[in-house]
Amino acid sequence: LWGHYQLARIYFVKGEAARALEEINKELEAHPENLRSLYVRGLIFGYMKNFAGAEEDFRRFVRWAPKEWAGYNDLAWILALRGKYKDVKEIMALAFREVPRADKNPWLWNSLGVAELNLKENKEAEISFEKAKELIGVMTLQEWKKAYPGNDPVEAESGLRAFREAVEENLRRAGRGE
C-alpha cells in the first residue's frame, strides 16, 4: 500500500505525467480501497488535458473525502477549463457547506470568483476576490507549504507570490467588467 502512489507523486512533480499515470493506475489496481489515489490521478489527468477523466476522479474523491478543500478546488479548476462555470458555483457552494473553515480559504474564494467572473457576475466576483485577497494577504509561507506538501519548498515563496498576483489580476478584471 502507498508504494505506487508515492512513485506517482514523484513522477508527477518531476513532470513525467505518463510514468505518474502508470504508477497511480498500478496503485488503484493493487489497492482499489486507496481512494486518495483518485486525487493524484485527477491532477495527472488534468495536466495531461484529459479533463473528463480528471473531472470524474475529482468528483469521486470529493464524495469520498467531503471535508477536504483541495478536492473541491481542483474539481473547480477542471470544470472551469471545461467552461462549466455554473457547475463550479455549485461545487463551491457544496465546499462552503461541507469543508470546515471554508470561509477562511482563499483558494475556494478565488475559484468561486473565477466562476462568477466568467458568468458575468462581476459584483459577486469582486466580493469573492476581495475575500481571497484578504486571506492570502495574511497567509504565511509556512501555511503555503502545508497546502502543497509535495512541492519543492524552495519554490514556495514564488508560488505564494504568484497566487497573490493572480488574485489581484482577477480582482482588476472583475472591477473592469471583463
Side-chain angles (χ1 to χ4, degrees):
L1 184 63
W2 299 105
H4 294 289
Y5 173 93
Q6 295 296 0
L7 285 171
R9 289 182 66 209
I10 291 166
Y11 287 131
F12 179 72
V13 170
K14 289 176 66 176
E16 298 179 34
R19 290 182 80 181
L21 182 59
E22 184 180 311
E23 290 298 332
I24 205 64
N25 283 337
K26 286 178 184 177
E27 181 71 25
L28 282 162
E29 185 178 321
H31 303 285
E33 73 282 4
N34 185 3
L35 296 184
R36 188 149 306 280
S37 297
L38 294 173
Y39 180 81
V40 172
R41 191 170 69 180
L43 290 173
I44 295 165
F45 278 156
Y47 281 91
M48 294 179 87
K49 300 191 183 331
N50 176 351
F51 301 135
E55 180 179 342
E56 181 181 334
D57 279 353
F58 285 133
R59 285 188 184 279
R60 286 180 61 201
F61 179 78
V62 165
R63 282 192 300 273
W64 179 72
K67 302 295 184 199
E68 294 188 27
W69 70 269
Y72 295 96
N73 196 61
D74 286 315
L75 175 55
W77 162 58
I78 294 299
L79 292 170
L81 288 173
R82 299 187 82 187
K84 297 180 172 184
Y85 301 110
K86 288 182 181 176
D87 289 356
V88 172
K89 282 187 66 175
E90 290 174 15
I91 287 300
M92 289 298 97
L94 183 60
F96 281 112
R97 282 194 309 271
E98 295 293 327
V99 175
R101 297 181 37 85
D103 62 322
K104 304 291 185 214
N105 186 304
W107 292 275
L108 297 179
W109 283 112
N110 187 63
S111 291
L112 177 59
V114 167
E116 292 164 337
L117 184 62
N118 281 282
L119 291 169
K120 307 296 184 211
E121 299 170 356
N122 290 55
K123 290 200 183 312
E124 293 88 345
E126 273 190 275
I127 293 167
S128 295
F129 292 138
E130 282 289 352
K131 289 180 181 176
K133 178 183 174 182
E134 176 187 325
L135 294 166
I136 197 74
V138 297
M139 180 174 280
T140 67
L141 201 52
Q142 203 57 34
E143 290 169 320
W144 179 265
K145 288 177 185 177
K146 185 178 176 188
Y148 295 99
N151 289 10
D152 184 346
V154 172
E155 297 174 2
E157 194 170 334
S158 64
L160 178 57
R161 183 174 47 254
F163 186 40
R164 285 181 175 143
E165 290 168 1
V167 169
E168 285 284 350
E169 178 57 27
N170 289 340
L171 186 55
R172 280 191 289 279
R173 289 179 62 212
R176 291 192 306 256
E178 291 182 16

